[in-house]
Amino acid sequence: MSPKIERTVNKERIARPIFNITPFTLLDYPGKIACILWFAGCNMRCIYCYNPEIVMGKGKLFLDQAMVFIESRKHLIDGVVLSGGECTLHRDIIPLTRNIKDKGLDVKIDTNGALPERIDEMINQGLVDYIALDFKSLPKNFESITGSRLFDAFESTLQLLIQSKIAYEVRTTVHSDLISVDELKQMVKYLDTKGYKGKYYIQHFTNGKPTIGNINDGKPFKDLIQYSTKNIQIVERGF
C-alpha cells in the first residue's frame, strides 16, 4: 500500500500546495492521457507568465486530496503532469510522485530547472518518466526576463538531463520584445554546444490573459525551422 501523505504545516511548506487540477488533457503529456496538478508558488517571475494567480497565489488543495482524485481517475488516464508555478519547490513532491508511480501511472514534470538536486533525486529514485525543461533565455537577458539569477541552476539541470537516460524536451517561450531572432539562433547554438540532441520546442507567446509583466502579444516569428541544426530540430508550437 502506498504511504500516506501527511498534511504538514510549517514555515518551509505550503499546507495546500496545489492550486488547481486539470482533470483531462491530451496535449500536455506526449502520447498519453493525463491530468495536471498545478502547484502554487515559483522562484521566478517571468514577464510573460500568464499564471500570476498560481505563481504568486496560495494553494487550495492538500496532497492527499489530489491523491483521492488521482485514485478516482487511475483507470481513465495514463499519467500525471506536475506543473505550476514550479512543482519542484515542494519537498513533498517526492512522496507524491512515489504514490502516483505505485498506482501504475507515469509522471511528467514541467520545470524551470532551478532545483537540479531535487530533479536528480527524482530521476535516481525512478519517480519521473518525462521532463519538460524551460529554457528561458541566455544569461544576458535571463534576469530581466525571469526576475531571478538562476541561470547556472538551469544549466546544471540541462547537463543532468543530457547525461541521463530520462525522456525529456527543451522548450522556449518567445516574445519579440524579449528575445530576438538572433538571440534565438544563439540559444540553438548554445544547446548544440552543450550536446543537446533532439527536438527544441519554440512556443510563441499569444495570450489574452493578464501577465506578470503586463506585456502585449508581440509579433510572431516566421520560418524558425530553418535554424534547425544537424542535432537539433526546431518544432513550433502555438504559431
Side-chain angles (χ1 to χ4, degrees):
M1 182 176 293
S2 300
K4 180 182 179 181
I5 298 177
E6 297 181 355
R7 296 181 179 180
T8 304
V9 182
N10 59 38
K11 293 181 180 180
E12 296 180 354
R13 299 185 182 183
I14 299 175
R16 295 177 175 87
I18 297 172
F19 184 87
N20 201 0
I21 298 176
T22 298
F24 181 83
T25 177
L26 293 173
L27 301 176
D28 294 86
Y29 196 148
K32 296 188 182 295
I33 302 169
C35 67
I36 309 174
L37 305 186
W38 299 93
F39 281 76
C42 190
N43 46 12
M44 294 184 184
R45 294 291 184 269
C46 299
I47 294 174
Y48 52 71
C49 178
Y50 58 86
N51 288 323
E53 72 282 5
I54 297 178
V55 168
M56 297 184 286
K58 295 182 178 180
K60 301 175 182 178
L61 299 171
F62 291 105
L63 293 180
D64 56 356
Q65 291 176 300
M67 287 308 305
V68 169
F69 171 81
I70 291 170
E71 174 69 26
S72 72
R73 302 280 295 186
K74 68 179 183 180
H75 298 301
L76 303 174
I77 59 176
D78 306 310
V80 179
V81 178
L82 308 183
S83 193
E86 177 53 43
C87 64
T88 63
L89 283 176
H90 303 278
R91 181 67 194 183
D92 283 336
I93 195 174
I94 300 296
L96 172 66
T97 50
R98 187 174 292 117
N99 272 256
I100 295 171
K101 294 293 293 179
D102 285 348
K103 296 186 182 303
L105 297 171
D106 288 341
V107 174
K108 171 182 178 269
I109 64 171
D110 297 336
T111 181
N112 58 28
L115 281 83
E117 297 84 1
R118 181 71 47 80
I119 294 171
D120 188 36
E121 182 179 5
M122 295 178 71
I123 292 174
N124 288 335
Q125 293 189 32
L127 301 178
V128 61
D129 302 283
Y130 192 95
I131 295 175
L133 177 64
D134 291 323
F135 182 10
K136 305 291 187 178
S137 76
L138 293 170
K140 67 177 183 177
N141 289 326
F142 195 87
E143 185 174 353
S144 64
I145 290 176
T146 69
S148 74
R149 299 179 178 179
L150 295 168
F151 181 84
D152 288 347
F154 156 79
E155 189 171 60
S156 295
T157 296
L158 175 64
Q159 287 296 148
L160 169 68
L161 297 181
I162 290 173
Q163 295 167 7
S164 74
K165 296 182 180 180
I166 192 81
Y168 73 102
E169 68 179 55
V170 177
R171 60 191 189 182
T172 295
T173 297
V174 296
H175 188 289
S176 58
D177 292 347
L178 303 175
I179 295 177
S180 66
V181 173
D182 284 342
E183 181 171 5
L184 189 60
K185 291 163 63 176
Q186 293 172 25
M187 291 169 74
V188 174
K189 183 177 180 180
Y190 167 86
L191 291 173
D192 220 347
T193 300
K194 292 296 179 181
Y196 177 68
K197 297 180 181 179
K199 295 179 180 178
Y200 178 26
Y201 293 94
I202 305 298
Q203 306 166 165
H204 174 63
F205 173 86
T206 53
N207 186 52
K209 300 178 182 179
T211 57
I212 287 179
N214 193 28
I215 56 176
N216 58 38
D217 283 349
K219 299 177 182 179
F221 294 144
K222 297 180 179 179
D223 302 323
L224 295 180
I225 295 174
Q226 65 179 305
Y227 303 121
S228 297
T229 68
K230 178 181 178 181
N231 296 319
I232 298 174
Q233 177 190 356
I234 292 179
V235 178
E236 300 177 14
R237 285 175 173 162
F239 282 75

